[in-house]
Amino acid sequence: CKGPIPTAVLRRELQVSMQKYAPVYRNADDLAKGKSVVVEIMKKYKDVGIQDRSMVWNTDLIETLELEILINQAAQEMFAAEARKESRGAHAHENFPERDD
């Protein structure tokens, strides 16, 4: 990975986006926007760069591999949350105030 984007920068973008578009109290507009934001972050992953080239205790590589997992998890969460048309459990959907616990 020799891209121009540091792992930490893309990880922070993902974190902020998830907090903004898929919080505990969700609404349809934010979730729809969040889907496109997460897809764009997924596309940026190919441009992540790893600076550390060592083969021992390479935390830069580990953090980059973890970011790939986080991005995939975020996409699954965002798409599933947008498809869910109810409020249940710990996550409330503002467009569906009637609880079905």
Side-chain angles (χ1 to χ4, degrees), residues 81-96:
E82 196 274 333
R84 187 177 202 171
K85 307 300 184 199
E86 63 183 358
S87 288
R88 183 187 297 224
H91 298 281
H93 198 302
E94 292 175 354
N95 299 92
F96 303 94

Side-chain angles (χ1 to χ4, degrees), residues 14-87:
L14 178 65
Q15 178 183 356
V16 169
S17 297
M18 291 303 290
Q19 289 172 338
K20 181 175 182 179
Y21 297 111
V24 174
Y25 297 101
R26 300 170 175 178
N27 66 64
D29 293 338
D30 285 347
L31 292 170
K33 172 70 174 164
K35 284 173 46 176
S36 62
V37 169
V38 168
V39 168
E40 289 305 310
I41 291 172
M42 290 177 87
K43 291 176 183 176
K44 289 180 184 180
Y45 181 75
K46 68 178 177 46
D47 293 324
V48 166
I50 299 173
Q51 303 301 317
D52 186 354
R53 298 287 176 200
S54 69
M55 297 302 289
V56 179
W57 294 106
N58 189 334
T59 56
D60 194 14
L61 176 59
I62 292 169
E63 288 175 2
T64 303
L65 294 173
E66 287 174 346
L67 176 61
E68 182 178 12
I69 295 166
L70 289 171
I71 290 171
N72 287 316
Q73 178 61 39
Q76 292 294 321
E77 180 182 337
M78 191 69 75
F79 278 76
E82 196 274 333
R84 187 177 202 171
K85 307 300 184 199
E86 63 183 358
S87 288

